[in-house]
Amino acid sequence: MEMAFTDGYVHYVNDKGELFRIDRAASRQDIEWSVTFAPFNETINERKGYSAFHLRVDMAEGSWITAEVKTDNDKKWEKVHTSHSGEARTITIPIIPTRCDKINVRLSGKGECLVKTFIREFKMRSDA
């Protein structure tokens, strides 16, 4: 639920309120993680715009990552990408949403994954 980096360690509280500390010497291969970004609004000054998101991710050997989106008032997340890495590598994840007013992006995975870039392309409608 919450994470903080203090005294050289990552401390986190799970959904049951239990406090944990991640030991630097411990294997990171078994750690499951998730991040949900704040919603992206697809309208600017009443001109509809649409996005494409491009993520560049470094993945350690044996790790995996899933990207999901939820648009407007959807109740369920839609899986748009899943990758598993048998070896250390860098991947690019394209996310192209459907027409919407708002989009949420969630990443989850297991093992070491580092998001190197998260680029949002935004197109704005012209008046012509």
Side-chain angles (χ1 to χ4, degrees):
M1 298 298 292
E2 300 287 336
M3 297 182 92
F5 183 78
T6 58
D7 300 326
Y9 292 96
V10 174
H11 296 83
Y12 70 94
V13 176
N14 67 11
D15 57 353
K16 298 175 187 164
E18 300 168 320
L19 177 64
F20 295 90
R21 181 177 83 178
I22 298 175
D23 186 351
R24 286 192 231 184
S27 170
R28 295 179 182 164
Q29 229 174 345
D30 295 328
I31 295 175
E32 292 188 31
W33 55 269
S34 171
V35 60
T36 303
F37 295 93
F40 294 95
N41 189 332
E42 295 298 282
T43 57
I44 291 185
N45 296 331
E46 298 179 13
R47 290 190 173 105
K48 194 68 130 175
Y50 299 99
S51 294
F53 299 89
H54 304 279
L55 287 86
R56 190 165 156 249
V57 181
D58 281 351
M59 298 177 65
E61 181 179 346
S63 62
W64 61 266
I65 187 169
T66 296
E68 298 170 289
V69 298
K70 187 164 55 166
T71 57
D72 294 329
N73 296 317
D74 288 346
K75 302 292 183 211
K76 294 184 179 182
W77 290 93
E78 177 188 349
K79 190 183 299 185
V80 294
H81 183 88
T82 299
S83 288
H84 178 268
S85 183
E87 60 186 35
R89 65 185 178 134
T90 300
I91 64 166
T92 301
I93 302 171
I95 300 173
I96 313 297
T98 58
R99 290 179 81 94
C100 60
D101 291 324
K102 175 179 75 170
I103 183 169
N104 293 66
V105 177
R106 178 170 71 183
L107 304 176
S108 59
K110 186 173 181 180
E112 271 190 81
C113 292
L114 174 64
V115 177
K116 300 285 276 193
T117 58
F118 187 158
I119 298 170
R120 178 185 185 200
E121 288 181 4
F122 188 86
K123 298 175 184 132
M124 202 159 96
R125 184 195 75 183
S126 68
D127 288 333

